[in-house]
Structures are given as structure tokens and as C-alpha cells.
Amino acid sequence: MATLVTGVAGFIGFHVAQRMLARGDDIVGIDCINDYYSVQLKQDRLAELERSSNRKLQFEQVDFAEHEALDKTLAKHDIDRIIHLGAQAGVRYSIEQPRAYVQSNLVGHLNLLEVARYRRSSHMVYASSSSVYGGNKTLPFSVDDRVDHPMSLYAATKKSDELMSETYAHLYRLPLTGLRFFTVYGPWGRPDMAMWIFTQKILAGEAPRFHLHR
């Protein structure tokens, strides 16, 4: 039985799949390859996975927010576990394109919960975000903190994902684990993140610009 990895062409999904393939796991990886950032970078990540997969990776290009297309695609595969890392990322972009976040992060997450429910998945791990802590002033952050005041639509969608997951875990006894990622960076990283933007400007001889919010 394979593990379904969503967002497999994304930064985190790529690295998770890489580690799993290295230990011999079978993976069904899905991604819609949208153009939020460089499509070429996503394709290069997939090519890197293919080179090292030893035929253990089966990739499908599909948008998991489209439930009929998702169900049709997954009908060809035996899946036991789910690692749901695909999402519309980026806090600032959620101000410009709010519907993209509702479609991918809310509708898409529900679709994966339904897959887990009907496939009777042994475990589903999904990506939440440290953004759910919002304006919380208590440090360090704790999973016991109240997270009722998200400061962006992105954070609100991730908090909603946690609530939906809690409901599904209760109703259907699904083993679900949400991970509140903080800033994740490294090789093959997302070019819209600050460290890459600053590095690119420095290499081009330009001064990085900082915006301070009070």
C-alpha cells in the first residue's frame, strides 16, 4: 500500500517524498503545478524525485480541490496513509486572491478528509501553520494556546482545517495529526520567501528592502 503525498512538487512535499523514497516507501504524489511561483522549479523538483525514485513514485497532476477529478485519479491507486502538504501558501497573497485560499485550503482539505474517511486511512498528517497563533503575545507558543484571532485569511483557513479535522477525528475515529509549521527553508526552497529575495538582491548588487510594521 502506498502513501499519498499532496503538494509533492512543493518545497516541503518534495523533501518529504525524497526521504520516503530513500527508505524504499511507495508514494503516490499529486500536485496541480499552479503558477503561484516558478512552474519550472516545481518541474525540476519532480524530475529530481523521478531520478531517485527507482519506480517507487507514481505522480499524478490533479487539483485536489476538484473532488471528482481527485476521486477519479485516486481510484487507480491503493493508498493506506496520507501526508497532506498541498495548499495555497503565502500570507500576503491571501489579500490579493482570497478565493484561491478558500478553494485550495478549505475545499481541498475537506476533499482529503473524505478520501481518508472512505479509504479508512490508517493515518493522515496534514500541514497547518504557525500563522494560526495570530496576535498571541505569549511566548513561547504552545499547542495549548487559544488561536481564535487569526491575522490573515491564510491563517483563518488553516485554523478552519484544524477544526474540520477535529470533527472528522471525532465522527469517524480517523487518526489525524496537524503540524503547525513555522518558517521552513532550505535547498529547493520557495523563491517568494524573504531569505531567497534578499539573497537574490544581494547577488544582483541591490540593497534588500525591509518593511517594518508597528
Side-chain angles (χ1 to χ4, degrees), residues 106-151:
L106 296 183
V107 176
H109 188 76
L110 176 63
N111 290 344
L112 266 299
L113 288 172
E114 285 287 279
V115 170
R117 171 190 175 189
Y118 285 104
R119 294 293 187 104
R120 299 185 180 276
S121 297
S122 62
H123 196 177
M124 172 170 151
V125 177
Y126 66 92
S128 184
S129 169
S130 61
S131 295
V132 301
Y133 291 111
N136 188 351
K137 293 180 172 57
T138 303
L139 295 175
F141 294 150
S142 167
V143 293
D144 296 319
D145 292 340
R146 292 184 65 87
V147 288
D148 299 330
H149 302 286
M151 305 297 286

Short mmCIF file of all heavy atoms in Angstrom, two decimals, residues 106-151:
data_model
loop_
_atom_site.label_atom_id
_atom_site.label_comp_id
_atom_site.label_asym_id
_atom_site.label_seq_id
_atom_site.Cartn_x
_atom_site.Cartn_y
_atom_site.Cartn_z
N LEU A 106 -9.58 25.14 2.08
CA LEU A 106 -10.80 24.68 2.74
C LEU A 106 -11.45 23.52 1.97
O LEU A 106 -11.59 22.43 2.48
CB LEU A 106 -11.79 25.83 2.92
CG LEU A 106 -11.33 26.97 3.83
CD1 LEU A 106 -12.44 28.00 3.97
CD2 LEU A 106 -10.93 26.45 5.21
N VAL A 107 -11.84 23.80 0.72
CA VAL A 107 -12.46 22.75 -0.08
C VAL A 107 -11.49 21.59 -0.28
O VAL A 107 -11.85 20.42 -0.14
CB VAL A 107 -12.93 23.31 -1.44
CG1 VAL A 107 -13.49 22.19 -2.33
CG2 VAL A 107 -13.97 24.41 -1.24
N GLY A 108 -10.23 21.92 -0.60
CA GLY A 108 -9.23 20.87 -0.82
C GLY A 108 -9.00 20.03 0.42
O GLY A 108 -8.88 18.80 0.34
N HIS A 109 -8.94 20.68 1.58
CA HIS A 109 -8.71 19.92 2.81
C HIS A 109 -9.89 18.99 3.10
O HIS A 109 -9.70 17.83 3.51
CB HIS A 109 -8.49 20.88 3.98
CG HIS A 109 -8.07 20.20 5.24
ND1 HIS A 109 -6.80 19.72 5.45
CD2 HIS A 109 -8.76 19.89 6.38
CE1 HIS A 109 -6.70 19.16 6.65
NE2 HIS A 109 -7.89 19.25 7.22
N LEU A 110 -11.10 19.49 2.89
CA LEU A 110 -12.28 18.65 3.09
C LEU A 110 -12.24 17.43 2.16
O LEU A 110 -12.54 16.31 2.58
CB LEU A 110 -13.56 19.45 2.81
CG LEU A 110 -14.87 18.65 2.88
CD1 LEU A 110 -15.11 18.11 4.27
CD2 LEU A 110 -16.04 19.50 2.41
N ASN A 111 -11.83 17.65 0.92
CA ASN A 111 -11.75 16.53 -0.03
C ASN A 111 -10.77 15.46 0.45
O ASN A 111 -11.03 14.26 0.30
CB ASN A 111 -11.33 17.03 -1.41
CG ASN A 111 -12.41 17.86 -2.08
OD1 ASN A 111 -13.57 17.83 -1.69
ND2 ASN A 111 -12.03 18.60 -3.11
N LEU A 112 -9.65 15.88 1.03
CA LEU A 112 -8.68 14.89 1.54
C LEU A 112 -9.21 14.19 2.78
O LEU A 112 -8.96 13.00 2.98
CB LEU A 112 -7.34 15.58 1.84
CG LEU A 112 -6.29 15.54 0.73
CD1 LEU A 112 -5.91 14.10 0.40
CD2 LEU A 112 -6.80 16.22 -0.54
N LEU A 113 -9.96 14.90 3.61
CA LEU A 113 -10.59 14.24 4.76
C LEU A 113 -11.58 13.18 4.29
O LEU A 113 -11.68 12.10 4.89
CB LEU A 113 -11.31 15.28 5.64
CG LEU A 113 -10.42 16.20 6.46
CD1 LEU A 113 -11.27 17.29 7.12
CD2 LEU A 113 -9.65 15.43 7.53
N GLU A 114 -12.30 13.47 3.22
CA GLU A 114 -13.24 12.50 2.68
C GLU A 114 -12.50 11.28 2.10
O GLU A 114 -12.95 10.15 2.23
CB GLU A 114 -14.12 13.15 1.61
CG GLU A 114 -15.20 14.05 2.18
CD GLU A 114 -16.32 13.23 2.83
OE1 GLU A 114 -17.20 12.74 2.10
OE2 GLU A 114 -16.29 13.07 4.07
N VAL A 115 -11.37 11.53 1.46
CA VAL A 115 -10.55 10.41 0.97
C VAL A 115 -10.12 9.54 2.14
O VAL A 115 -10.24 8.31 2.10
CB VAL A 115 -9.32 10.92 0.20
CG1 VAL A 115 -8.36 9.77 -0.09
CG2 VAL A 115 -9.73 11.61 -1.09
N ALA A 116 -9.65 10.17 3.20
CA ALA A 116 -9.21 9.42 4.38
C ALA A 116 -10.37 8.65 5.00
O ALA A 116 -10.22 7.49 5.42
CB ALA A 116 -8.62 10.38 5.41
N ARG A 117 -11.53 9.26 5.01
CA ARG A 117 -12.72 8.61 5.58
C ARG A 117 -13.11 7.37 4.79
O ARG A 117 -13.28 6.28 5.36
CB ARG A 117 -13.86 9.62 5.62
CG ARG A 117 -15.21 9.03 5.99
CD ARG A 117 -16.31 10.06 5.76
NE ARG A 117 -17.63 9.51 5.99
CZ ARG A 117 -18.77 10.14 5.68
NH1 ARG A 117 -18.70 11.34 5.13
NH2 ARG A 117 -19.93 9.58 5.92
N TYR A 118 -13.26 7.50 3.50
CA TYR A 118 -13.76 6.38 2.69
C TYR A 118 -12.69 5.34 2.41
O TYR A 118 -13.02 4.17 2.17
CB TYR A 118 -14.37 6.92 1.40
CG TYR A 118 -15.73 7.53 1.63
CD1 TYR A 118 -15.89 8.91 1.65
CD2 TYR A 118 -16.85 6.72 1.87
CE1 TYR A 118 -17.14 9.48 1.89
CE2 TYR A 118 -18.09 7.28 2.11
CZ TYR A 118 -18.24 8.66 2.12
OH TYR A 118 -19.48 9.21 2.38
N ARG A 119 -11.43 5.75 2.44
CA ARG A 119 -10.34 4.77 2.28
C ARG A 119 -9.96 4.12 3.61
O ARG A 119 -9.11 3.24 3.65
CB ARG A 119 -9.11 5.46 1.69
CG ARG A 119 -9.25 5.98 0.26
CD ARG A 119 -9.40 4.84 -0.74
NE ARG A 119 -9.38 5.30 -2.12
CZ ARG A 119 -8.36 5.18 -2.95
NH1 ARG A 119 -7.25 4.59 -2.54
NH2 ARG A 119 -8.43 5.63 -4.17
N ARG A 120 -10.55 4.62 4.69
CA ARG A 120 -10.21 4.14 6.04
C ARG A 120 -8.70 4.21 6.26
O ARG A 120 -8.06 3.22 6.66
CB ARG A 120 -10.74 2.72 6.26
CG ARG A 120 -12.25 2.62 6.17
CD ARG A 120 -12.74 1.22 6.51
NE ARG A 120 -14.19 1.13 6.41
CZ ARG A 120 -15.04 1.49 7.37
NH1 ARG A 120 -14.57 1.97 8.51
NH2 ARG A 120 -16.34 1.37 7.19
N SER A 121 -8.13 5.36 6.00
CA SER A 121 -6.68 5.55 6.10
C SER A 121 -6.20 5.29 7.52
O SER A 121 -6.87 5.66 8.50
CB SER A 121 -6.31 6.98 5.70
OG SER A 121 -6.65 7.22 4.36
N SER A 122 -5.05 4.67 7.62
CA SER A 122 -4.51 4.36 8.94
C SER A 122 -4.01 5.62 9.65
O SER A 122 -3.94 5.65 10.88
CB SER A 122 -3.37 3.34 8.83
OG SER A 122 -2.30 3.85 8.05
N HIS A 123 -3.67 6.67 8.88
CA HIS A 123 -3.23 7.93 9.49
C HIS A 123 -3.18 8.99 8.41
O HIS A 123 -2.75 8.72 7.28
CB HIS A 123 -1.84 7.78 10.12
CG HIS A 123 -1.49 8.87 11.08
ND1 HIS A 123 -0.30 8.87 11.79
CD2 HIS A 123 -2.14 10.00 11.46
CE1 HIS A 123 -0.25 9.94 12.57
NE2 HIS A 123 -1.36 10.64 12.37
N MET A 124 -3.60 10.20 8.75
CA MET A 124 -3.43 11.34 7.85
C MET A 124 -2.74 12.45 8.62
O MET A 124 -3.21 12.89 9.67
CB MET A 124 -4.79 11.84 7.32
CG MET A 124 -4.69 13.15 6.53
SD MET A 124 -6.24 13.55 5.68
CE MET A 124 -6.15 15.34 5.64
N VAL A 125 -1.61 12.86 8.09
CA VAL A 125 -0.86 14.01 8.64
C VAL A 125 -1.08 15.17 7.69
O VAL A 125 -1.01 15.00 6.47
CB VAL A 125 0.65 13.69 8.75
CG1 VAL A 125 1.42 14.90 9.24
CG2 VAL A 125 0.87 12.50 9.67
N TYR A 126 -1.38 16.35 8.24
CA TYR A 126 -1.65 17.49 7.37
C TYR A 126 -0.91 18.74 7.86
O TYR A 126 -0.55 18.85 9.03
CB TYR A 126 -3.16 17.77 7.28
CG TYR A 126 -3.79 18.22 8.57
CD1 TYR A 126 -3.91 19.58 8.88
CD2 TYR A 126 -4.28 17.30 9.51
CE1 TYR A 126 -4.49 20.00 10.07
CE2 TYR A 126 -4.86 17.70 10.68
CZ TYR A 126 -4.96 19.06 10.97
OH TYR A 126 -5.52 19.48 12.15
N ALA A 127 -0.70 19.64 6.93
CA ALA A 127 0.03 20.88 7.24
C ALA A 127 -0.92 21.95 7.73
O ALA A 127 -1.81 22.40 7.00
CB ALA A 127 0.77 21.37 6.00
N SER A 128 -0.73 22.36 8.98
CA SER A 128 -1.35 23.58 9.47
C SER A 128 -0.27 24.65 9.42
O SER A 128 0.67 24.56 8.62
CB SER A 128 -1.92 23.40 10.87
OG SER A 128 -2.60 24.59 11.26
N SER A 129 -0.34 25.65 10.25
CA SER A 129 0.64 26.74 10.17
C SER A 129 0.75 27.46 11.50
O SER A 129 -0.24 27.59 12.24
CB SER A 129 0.22 27.74 9.09
OG SER A 129 1.00 28.92 9.16
N SER A 130 1.94 27.96 11.80
CA SER A 130 2.13 28.79 12.99
C SER A 130 1.36 30.10 12.87
O SER A 130 1.16 30.80 13.87
CB SER A 130 3.62 29.09 13.19
OG SER A 130 4.14 29.81 12.08
N SER A 131 0.89 30.42 11.66
CA SER A 131 0.10 31.65 11.47
C SER A 131 -1.19 31.62 12.29
O SER A 131 -1.77 32.68 12.56
CB SER A 131 -0.25 31.83 9.99
OG SER A 131 0.90 32.05 9.22
N VAL A 132 -1.64 30.44 12.69
CA VAL A 132 -2.88 30.37 13.47
C VAL A 132 -2.73 31.05 14.83
O VAL A 132 -3.73 31.42 15.45
CB VAL A 132 -3.35 28.91 13.68
CG1 VAL A 132 -3.58 28.23 12.34
CG2 VAL A 132 -2.39 28.12 14.55
N TYR A 133 -1.49 31.24 15.29
CA TYR A 133 -1.29 31.90 16.59
C TYR A 133 -1.63 33.38 16.53
O TYR A 133 -1.83 34.01 17.56
CB TYR A 133 0.16 31.69 17.07
CG TYR A 133 0.45 30.27 17.46
CD1 TYR A 133 1.30 29.47 16.70
CD2 TYR A 133 -0.15 29.71 18.58
CE1 TYR A 133 1.56 28.15 17.05
CE2 TYR A 133 0.10 28.40 18.95
CZ TYR A 133 0.95 27.62 18.17
OH TYR A 133 1.20 26.32 18.52
N GLY A 134 -1.69 33.95 15.33
CA GLY A 134 -2.16 35.32 15.16
C GLY A 134 -1.45 36.33 16.04
O GLY A 134 -0.22 36.40 16.07
N GLY A 135 -2.23 37.11 16.78
CA GLY A 135 -1.68 38.15 17.64
C GLY A 135 -1.31 37.68 19.03
O GLY A 135 -1.13 38.51 19.93
N ASN A 136 -1.18 36.39 19.21
CA ASN A 136 -0.84 35.85 20.53
C ASN A 136 0.49 36.42 21.01
O ASN A 136 1.50 36.36 20.32
CB ASN A 136 -0.75 34.32 20.41
CG ASN A 136 -0.57 33.65 21.76
OD1 ASN A 136 -0.35 34.31 22.76
ND2 ASN A 136 -0.65 32.34 21.78
N LYS A 137 0.49 37.00 22.20
CA LYS A 137 1.71 37.62 22.74
C LYS A 137 2.43 36.73 23.75
O LYS A 137 3.47 37.10 24.27
CB LYS A 137 1.36 38.96 23.39
CG LYS A 137 0.88 40.02 22.38
CD LYS A 137 0.56 41.33 23.08
CE LYS A 137 0.27 42.43 22.06
NZ LYS A 137 -0.82 42.11 21.15
N THR A 138 1.89 35.55 24.03
CA THR A 138 2.52 34.64 24.98
C THR A 138 3.61 33.84 24.28
O THR A 138 3.37 33.20 23.26
CB THR A 138 1.48 33.67 25.57
OG1 THR A 138 0.43 34.41 26.19
CG2 THR A 138 2.13 32.75 26.59
N LEU A 139 4.82 33.91 24.82
CA LEU A 139 5.95 33.18 24.24
C LEU A 139 6.57 32.25 25.28
O LEU A 139 6.61 32.59 26.46
CB LEU A 139 7.01 34.18 23.74
CG LEU A 139 6.58 35.09 22.59
CD1 LEU A 139 7.67 36.10 22.29
CD2 LEU A 139 6.28 34.27 21.34
N PRO A 140 7.09 31.09 24.88
CA PRO A 140 6.96 30.54 23.52
C PRO A 140 5.55 30.07 23.23
O PRO A 140 4.77 29.82 24.16
CB PRO A 140 7.95 29.37 23.55
CG PRO A 140 7.94 28.91 24.98
CD PRO A 140 7.81 30.18 25.80
N PHE A 141 5.20 29.93 21.95
CA PHE A 141 3.89 29.44 21.58
C PHE A 141 3.71 28.01 22.06
O PHE A 141 4.67 27.26 22.19
CB PHE A 141 3.70 29.47 20.06
CG PHE A 141 3.68 30.86 19.47
CD1 PHE A 141 4.14 31.07 18.18
CD2 PHE A 141 3.20 31.94 20.19
CE1 PHE A 141 4.11 32.33 17.62
CE2 PHE A 141 3.17 33.21 19.64
CZ PHE A 141 3.63 33.41 18.35
N SER A 142 2.47 27.65 22.31
CA SER A 142 2.16 26.29 22.79
C SER A 142 0.93 25.78 22.06
O SER A 142 0.04 26.57 21.68
CB SER A 142 1.89 26.32 24.30
OG SER A 142 1.30 25.10 24.73
N VAL A 143 0.84 24.47 21.88
CA VAL A 143 -0.34 23.88 21.26
C VAL A 143 -1.57 24.08 22.15
O VAL A 143 -2.70 23.90 21.69
CB VAL A 143 -0.14 22.38 20.96
CG1 VAL A 143 0.91 22.20 19.89
CG2 VAL A 143 0.21 21.62 22.23
N ASP A 144 -1.36 24.45 23.41
CA ASP A 144 -2.48 24.69 24.31
C ASP A 144 -2.98 26.13 24.24
O ASP A 144 -3.99 26.46 24.87
CB ASP A 144 -2.06 24.37 25.75
CG ASP A 144 -1.71 22.91 25.94
OD1 ASP A 144 -2.44 22.06 25.38
OD2 ASP A 144 -0.72 22.60 26.62
N ASP A 145 -2.28 27.02 23.52
CA ASP A 145 -2.72 28.41 23.39
C ASP A 145 -4.03 28.49 22.62
O ASP A 145 -4.29 27.70 21.71
CB ASP A 145 -1.67 29.24 22.63
CG ASP A 145 -0.37 29.42 23.41
OD1 ASP A 145 -0.40 29.24 24.64
OD2 ASP A 145 0.64 29.74 22.78
N ARG A 146 -4.86 29.48 22.97
CA ARG A 146 -6.06 29.76 22.18
C ARG A 146 -5.63 30.39 20.86
O ARG A 146 -4.73 31.24 20.84
CB ARG A 146 -7.00 30.69 22.94
CG ARG A 146 -7.61 30.07 24.18
CD ARG A 146 -8.61 31.03 24.82
NE ARG A 146 -9.76 31.27 23.96
CZ ARG A 146 -10.86 30.51 23.92
NH1 ARG A 146 -10.94 29.45 24.72
NH2 ARG A 146 -11.86 30.79 23.13
N VAL A 147 -6.26 29.98 19.79
CA VAL A 147 -5.90 30.52 18.46
C VAL A 147 -7.18 31.00 17.78
O VAL A 147 -7.50 30.58 16.66
CB VAL A 147 -5.15 29.47 17.61
CG1 VAL A 147 -3.74 29.27 18.14
CG2 VAL A 147 -5.89 28.13 17.58
N ASP A 148 -7.87 31.91 18.44
CA ASP A 148 -9.16 32.38 17.97
C ASP A 148 -9.09 33.70 17.20
O ASP A 148 -10.14 34.24 16.82
CB ASP A 148 -10.13 32.55 19.15
CG ASP A 148 -10.38 31.25 19.88
OD1 ASP A 148 -10.32 30.19 19.23
OD2 ASP A 148 -10.61 31.28 21.10
N HIS A 149 -7.89 34.25 17.02
CA HIS A 149 -7.78 35.56 16.38
C HIS A 149 -6.74 35.55 15.26
O HIS A 149 -5.69 36.19 15.36
CB HIS A 149 -7.42 36.62 17.44
CG HIS A 149 -8.40 36.70 18.56
ND1 HIS A 149 -9.66 37.27 18.41
CD2 HIS A 149 -8.34 36.26 19.83
CE1 HIS A 149 -10.31 37.17 19.56
NE2 HIS A 149 -9.54 36.57 20.44
N PRO A 150 -7.04 34.84 14.17
CA PRO A 150 -6.10 34.83 13.04
C PRO A 150 -5.97 36.22 12.43
O PRO A 150 -6.94 36.98 12.39
CB PRO A 150 -6.74 33.85 12.05
CG PRO A 150 -8.19 33.84 12.40
CD PRO A 150 -8.25 34.05 13.88
N MET A 151 -4.78 36.55 11.97
CA MET A 151 -4.49 37.89 11.45
C MET A 151 -4.49 37.94 9.93
O MET A 151 -4.18 38.97 9.34
CB MET A 151 -3.14 38.38 11.98
CG MET A 151 -3.02 38.36 13.49
SD MET A 151 -4.20 39.46 14.32
CE MET A 151 -3.45 41.05 13.96
#
